[in-house]
């Protein structure tokens, strides 16, 4: 008998979240479009459950290694986690992580719901110093958009010893790069919008936890808060997961090659990508990650206008926000007002897709030549 937990992620992405094997039954999940269900069952109403979500949740659960809840967006999933904190809880989080999360945390702090301690999560001593009194350590690694790497094994273990809850946003590394629950984290969240769905056509999120009490509180938060996924979006994401490992592998290989070529380009000042041997996080990332991800950032010697011109000049790479799709995207991050002031004004974040690497490089060279 083949046990599910002995299978590799490439296999799990394909085999999990399917309907039961019945003669002439569909091999694919169906899009369950019903807002209500016949009485007498356990679900009852479409805000409490839906079989298309359940299939998507089973697939993410197989990849991350714990029971999973799907949400209407990554931010909805993250909001659900913060919503179950008691009033006055201390949250320690990155000072240069995803801007949406930083904005949410500061809004919750301004309303008196929580207290936020902002730290550089890649500086372990700084994080360890503020653990006493912390209720929840929020770790995003690699960080968006500076690609800093937190020492997850060390920080998670220290936080657990100190009695803190730990949540990891695993959107950038994906379960192919790191498995935070195996390291002892309580919660893993995803913007499923990104690599898991992978085609820039849905907004979805997920929360995974092995703690049944936490799971139940988060499920209640979804039921009552109402941040449920649409069945069609759930189906699209599930379809995307089937090819997630091969997409991610290709995108990651493109990222490594482009990072190394960018690091030798005369117009480029700094490249941020832990896959480069010269990167300050290379050793740390290599010690516990199985890959370096498919997003890189770089800064230019010249100014903001030139950085904008580079992004506008590409022909293959799309000038757009977001990441994790089959198509490469780039943008200057500081054009967003919510972005951390610690991020350089000229920093361009590049999400590598699955195109041919030589085509991508020709495009980058001509775009840089235009600046
Ligand atoms: C690391 C990270 N977490 C969470 C989110 C939010 O996800 P969503 O846009 O699906 O709400 C994003 C979005 O870019 C992200 O980059």
């Amino acid at each position: 008998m083949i046990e599910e937990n002995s299978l590799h992620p490439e296999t799990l992405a394909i085999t999990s979240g399917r309907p039961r094997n019945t003669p002439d039954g569909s091999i694919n999940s169906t899009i369950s479009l019903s807002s209500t269900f016949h009485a007498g069952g356990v679900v009852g109403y479409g805000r409490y459950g839906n079989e298309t979500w359940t299939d998507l949740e089973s697939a993410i659960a197989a990849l991350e290694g714990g029971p999973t809840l799907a949400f209407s967006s990554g931010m909805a999933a993250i909001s659900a986690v913060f919503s179950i904190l008691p009033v006055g809880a201390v949250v320690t989080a990155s000072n240069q992580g995803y801007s949406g999360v930083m904005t949410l945390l500061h809004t919750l702090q301004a309303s008196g719901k929580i207290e936020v301690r902002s730290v550089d999560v890649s500086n372990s001593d700084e994080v360890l110093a503020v653990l006493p009194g912390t209720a929840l350590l929020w770790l995003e690694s690699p960080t968006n958009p500076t690609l800093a790497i937190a020492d997850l094994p060390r920080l998670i273990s220290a936080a657990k010893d100190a009695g803190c809850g730990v949540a990891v946003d695993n959107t950038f590394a994906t379960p192919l790069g790191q498995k935070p629950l195996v390291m002892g984290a309580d919660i893993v969240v995803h913007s499923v919008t990104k690599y898991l769905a992978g085609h820039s056509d849905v907004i979805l999120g997920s929360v995974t936890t092995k703690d049944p009490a936490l799971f139940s509180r988060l499920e209640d938060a979804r039921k009552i808060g109402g941040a449920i996924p649409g069945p069609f979006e759930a189906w699209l994401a599930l379809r995307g997961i089937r090819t997630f490992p091969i997409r991610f592998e290709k995108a990651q290989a493109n990222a490594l090659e482009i990072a190394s070529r960018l690091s030798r380009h005369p117009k480029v000042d700094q490249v941020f990508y832990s896959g480069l041997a010269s990167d300050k996080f290379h050793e740390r990332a290599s010690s516990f990650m199985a890959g370096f991800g498919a997003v890189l950032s770089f800064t230019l010697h010249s100014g903001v206008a030139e950085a904008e011109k580079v992004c506008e000049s590409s022909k293959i790479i799309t000038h757009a926000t977001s990441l994790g799709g089959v198509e490469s995207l780039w943008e200057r991050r500081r054009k967003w007002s919510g972005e951390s002031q610690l991020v350089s004004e000229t920093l361009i974040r590049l999400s590598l897709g699955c195109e041919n690497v030589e085509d991508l490089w020709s495009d980058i060279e001509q775009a840089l030549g235009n600046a």
Side-chain angles (χ1 to χ4, degrees):
M1 169 119 173
I2 299 176
E3 295 291 335
E4 189 177 79
N5 59 14
S6 69
L7 296 175
H8 295 87
E10 300 89 322
T11 310
L12 290 171
I14 290 170
T15 56
S16 56
R18 302 238 179 222
R20 277 197 301 133
N21 178 344
T22 53
D24 268 347
S26 169
I27 71 158
N28 286 313
S29 185
T30 49
I31 305 174
S32 172
L33 292 173
S34 196
S35 61
T36 191
F37 305 105
H38 290 287
V42 287
V43 181
Y45 186 52
R47 182 155 38 80
Y48 304 158
N50 169 285
E51 67 184 85
T52 320
W53 315 344
T54 307
D55 288 341
L56 170 64
E57 289 166 349
S58 306
I60 300 173
L63 292 167
E64 277 296 357
T68 296
L69 291 161
F71 283 83
S72 54
S73 66
M75 287 308 295
I78 292 165
S79 299
V81 174
F82 296 148
S83 78
I84 64 170
L85 291 170
V87 172
V90 174
V91 178
T92 292
S94 174
N95 56 12
Q96 44 191 302
Y98 173 53
S99 55
V101 175
M102 292 192 305
T103 305
L104 174 62
L105 284 170
H106 289 117
T107 307
L108 291 171
Q109 174 164 257
S111 71
K113 158 86 177 159
I114 56 170
E115 184 192 322
V116 182
R117 292 178 183 166
S118 294
V119 289
D120 172 358
V121 289
S122 70
N123 181 337
S124 299
D125 291 340
E126 200 180 316
V127 180
L128 297 181
V130 296
L131 282 184
T134 291
L136 178 68
L137 174 61
W138 185 267
L139 293 169
E140 179 185 304
S141 179
T143 55
N144 177 7
T146 48
L147 285 314
I149 305 292
D151 190 345
L152 291 187
R154 180 168 175 216
L155 295 183
I156 292 171
S157 136
K160 295 318 297 170
D161 288 348
C164 316
V166 184
V168 178
D169 184 330
N170 210 21
T171 302
F172 271 47
T174 84
L176 286 179
Q178 65 197 13
K179 300 281 280 288
L181 294 185
V182 173
M183 298 179 210
D186 301 291
I187 288 175
V188 169
V189 300
H190 274 278
S191 168
V192 175
T193 312
K194 310 295 175 357
Y195 293 104
L196 296 177
H199 295 77
S200 306
D201 51 10
V202 293
I203 300 275
L204 276 182
S206 67
V207 180
T208 304
T209 178
K210 288 199 279 193
D211 179 329
L214 262 181
F215 185 92
S216 153
R217 290 173 67 203
L218 289 162
E219 189 172 29
D220 286 348
R222 182 178 67 176
K223 280 181 184 165
I224 301 308
I228 55 166
F232 183 52
E233 284 81 356
W235 185 88
L236 278 173
L238 185 55
R239 183 182 159 111
I241 284 178
R242 305 298 178 215
T243 55
F244 149 63
I246 48 173
R247 284 187 283 103
F248 193 66
E249 202 181 315
K250 169 71 179 163
Q252 198 163 236
N254 279 348
L256 184 57
E257 183 59 30
I258 296 292
S260 104
R261 292 189 194 188
L262 277 172
S263 67
R264 298 191 296 270
H265 195 285
K267 289 203 172 164
V268 171
D269 182 17
Q270 252 191 300
V271 178
F272 304 91
Y273 184 66
S274 64
L276 292 177
S278 55
D279 188 88
K280 72 173 180 174
F281 297 111
H282 182 68
E283 206 178 312
R284 179 181 288 175
S286 308
S287 74
F288 69 89
M289 293 177 74
F292 306 104
V295 179
L296 62 85
S297 291
F298 61 99
T299 53
L300 300 178
H301 290 299
S302 49
V304 171
E306 289 79 3
E308 283 293 343
K309 184 101 192 290
V310 167
C311 295
E312 284 159 14
S313 305
S314 55
K315 308 267 186 289
I316 297 169
I317 300 171
T318 305
H319 182 199
T321 197
S322 199
L323 57 111
V326 287
E327 61 290 298
S328 297
L329 305 175
W330 64 5
E331 68 171 344
R332 189 179 68 85
R333 279 303 292 178
R334 282 291 299 279
K335 74 184 202 184
W336 298 102
S337 59
E339 190 55 272
S340 166
Q341 309 277 310
L342 299 170
V343 173
S344 160
E345 278 281 7
T346 70
L347 182 138
I348 296 173
R349 186 187 69 194
L350 169 58
S351 166
L352 275 308
C354 300
E355 303 91 339
N356 177 281
V357 73
E358 298 305 333
D359 293 340
L360 288 174
W361 182 244
S362 305
D363 196 26
I364 292 169
E365 274 197 309
Q366 69 78 24
L368 284 170
N370 257 331

